[in-house]
Amino acid sequence: MNLLSLPFTVRFDPTNQELVLSGKMRPQSAAEIADALELVRQSLEKYSGIVYLNVKRLTHINMTAFTALCDILAAGCRTRPERNIKIITSSVMAWSASLFEMLAASLPNLSVEVYDSAFYPGQSFVEDESFIPILRTQTKMTWRHERELLPRHGLRSGVAAMADICCGIGDFATLVQREFKPARLVALDHSVRSLDYARRVAADFDLQSIEYTYGDASQMLLRDDQFDFVTCRHSLQIFDRPEMLLRELYRICKPGGRVYITNEKNSHCLGEPHAESIKWTYEEVAKLFSHFDMDVEMGPKSRHLLLNAGFDDIKVDCFMVTNLDGDPQDFADIIEAWENVYAGEMAVRRGDSPDFIRRFRQGFKDHVFAALHPKGYAGWPIWAASGRKPL
């Protein structure tokens, strides 16, 4: 049986000892998914220590598939009691945690871990693997501005200890390492896939001094008062409780050190020609993110967020990423990726009508047109802010 022809995928990543199930598993009989079940069984037999079963992207599973999978997991637990099986679920698929927790209750060496806390509402949208090249392009375009702003916000060449929290695919950390050469640079994220990518890029660039680490930014296993400079870029806006993250950033920053954040105001994205269509679409983007408990209007709120978190000596800058920042096609590629995620996934998930989505998409297409037009202009505003932790 060809697994690629089925509405679900099963793959095993030996590097992380992780089985990944995604899609919809709704067979009429266990025989229909025999190949997938055999891959699970063989993987459990072959590897010791912790084996992860990642069901974050398993959108549906019927009782036939669940029962067959449970039988294999239970057999694996019994035959290898020294080996632990950890099932990774997501609050985005709320049913999966409760379903697999029932199984874990009867098996001492099987546990369930909810991948994201309740305030990571957008992780399934922003961590899709297809988005990685665009994230790199975004950083390339913002770096032209940030490399000039970072010294104003307190980053000095050779700084003793720096942390990049919610580092994602690690592209910003690599740029900082090459440009400012901190003595120690810790880059933390809660996405195993993003960290794996970041480590590969760092290895390709022979940047061996970046310490990539897995962790929940709201509850970091990092000591108090240890970093001179802490960054957290484009991340507060996808948490529905950013004050919790800011408290952690404050905690790990040394007294006298600074925390640097960047956030957007998507409704102020602009373009010419077709300014009205573009304006309407990005105002709708802000509403769409708000529906999923994210705030992509956060940029101008940065000052009071930092003050409320206890920081002083607040510095705020706003810069506009445009189609004139290098190759206009780079900006066009970013906009097209936004269209695919916002109109192709998020609006559909919200239940928007085909007519709305058609108009929604048109604004992105008009923004691309403005970016590529020889006389056009397209912009994306970003706020950079920092605060000092009082001595």
Side-chain angles (χ1 to χ4, degrees):
M1 182 182 295
N2 181 8
L3 294 179
L4 296 177
S5 66
L6 298 174
F8 66 89
T9 60
V10 182
R11 62 181 179 82
F12 184 77
D13 176 4
T15 303
N16 297 318
Q17 296 195 175
E18 181 181 47
L19 278 155
V20 180
L21 306 185
S22 59
K24 301 176 181 179
M25 296 184 74
R26 296 191 287 201
Q28 294 184 358
S29 69
E32 292 180 27
I33 57 171
D35 289 354
L37 295 171
E38 181 60 16
L39 177 60
V40 174
R41 188 189 65 76
Q42 290 179 2
S43 301
L44 293 177
E45 282 186 356
K46 185 174 182 181
Y47 291 89
S48 57
I50 297 178
V51 176
Y52 296 91
L53 177 65
N54 185 332
V55 295
K56 289 187 301 182
R57 298 183 187 276
L58 186 63
T59 57
H60 295 87
I61 185 169
N62 65 9
M63 195 50 63
T64 299
F66 181 70
T67 301
L69 183 61
C70 286
D71 290 342
I72 291 175
L73 293 172
C77 288
R78 287 193 299 268
T79 57
R80 298 279 297 279
E82 78 284 358
R83 192 251 334 279
N84 291 308
I85 300 172
K86 183 170 289 190
I87 300 175
I88 309 297
T89 68
S90 169
S91 67
V92 174
M93 306 300 174
W95 59 266
S96 65
S98 57
L99 192 63
F100 285 101
E101 281 169 354
M102 288 191 298
L103 175 63
S106 62
L107 297 169
N109 52 336
L110 188 147
S111 61
V112 177
E113 177 180 310
V114 180
Y115 160 77
D116 52 324
S117 302
F119 44 91
Y120 295 125
Q123 59 89 18
S124 64
F125 301 121
V126 299
E127 291 176 7
D128 190 279
E129 195 170 63
S130 64
F131 213 53
I132 284 178
I134 297 306
L135 293 175
R136 296 195 72 183
T137 303
Q138 287 185 175
T139 302
K140 180 174 71 173
M141 297 190 75
T142 61
W143 179 249
R144 295 184 177 97
H145 301 269
E146 290 187 83
R147 68 183 298 184
E148 304 300 325
L149 287 176
L150 283 164
R152 167 174 143 74
H153 288 269
L155 182 56
R156 299 287 179 262
S157 183
V159 65
M162 175 181 166
D164 183 27
I165 306 305
C166 303
C167 68
I169 59 172
D171 46 354
F172 180 75
T174 62
L175 290 166
V176 166
Q177 181 64 44
R178 288 194 290 196
E179 181 78 15
F180 293 94
K181 297 179 173 56
R184 183 188 181 208
L185 175 52
V186 174
L188 178 143
D189 202 86
H190 67 283
S191 168
V192 172
R193 179 175 294 182
S194 294
L195 287 171
D196 287 344
Y197 182 90
R199 292 186 182 103
R200 290 198 300 272
V201 171
D204 289 345
F205 295 161
D206 196 28
L207 295 170
Q208 302 174 9
S209 55
I210 302 174
E211 303 171 31
Y212 288 106
T213 183
Y214 174 84
D216 182 338
S218 69
Q219 297 178 342
M220 292 183 282
L221 300 177
L222 296 172
R223 298 192 322 274
D224 295 359
D225 305 330
Q226 66 168 303
F227 296 104
D228 301 281
F229 197 77
V230 180
T231 60
C232 186
R233 301 168 61 262
H234 301 286
S235 297
L236 290 170
Q237 61 192 27
I238 63 169
F239 290 78
D240 66 3
R241 282 178 277 171
E243 69 282 355
M244 294 185 68
L245 179 49
L246 277 168
R247 283 200 295 268
E248 279 291 272
L249 301 178
Y250 184 96
R251 181 183 65 79
I252 66 172
C253 184
K254 289 180 182 178
R258 296 190 71 86
V259 167
Y260 168 89
I261 60 175
T262 63
N263 292 288
E264 304 165 42
K265 186 172 177 67
N266 261 235
S267 66
H268 282 197
C269 285
L270 50 85
E272 185 64 47
H274 305 302
E276 289 305 312
S277 168
I278 295 166
K279 180 176 184 291
W280 181 88
T281 282
Y282 285 99
E283 287 174 347
E284 292 300 322
V285 167
K287 296 174 187 177
L288 178 63
F289 272 76
S290 179
H291 175 82
F292 291 102
D293 297 321
M294 296 179 279
D295 184 5
V296 290
E297 299 289 276
M298 189 174 285
K301 305 172 188 177
S302 299
R303 183 170 183 266
H304 85 250
L305 286 168
L306 288 166
L307 286 169
N308 289 348
F311 295 96
D312 63 15
D313 188 26
I314 309 299
K315 299 180 187 296
V316 181
D317 289 288
C318 178
F319 60 90
M320 183 75 75
V321 175
T322 78
N323 58 325
L324 306 181
D325 294 335
D327 186 351
Q329 186 62 54
D330 284 344
F331 199 1
D333 290 344
I334 290 171
I335 299 165
E336 288 178 349
W338 290 346
E339 178 190 346
N340 291 337
V341 174
Y342 304 164
E345 296 182 39
M346 295 176 70
V348 172
R349 177 84 65 85
R350 186 172 62 172
D352 292 333
S353 69
D355 286 343
F356 174 88
I357 292 175
R358 193 175 303 112
R359 184 181 177 190
F360 195 36
R361 284 187 179 277
Q362 188 59 50
F364 293 111
K365 296 183 189 304
D366 289 340
H367 206 199
V368 168
F369 183 83
L372 296 179
H373 193 284
K375 298 180 181 179
Y377 183 82
W380 167 36
I382 296 172
W383 273 254
S386 68
R388 187 189 72 147
K389 182 174 179 177
L391 291 166

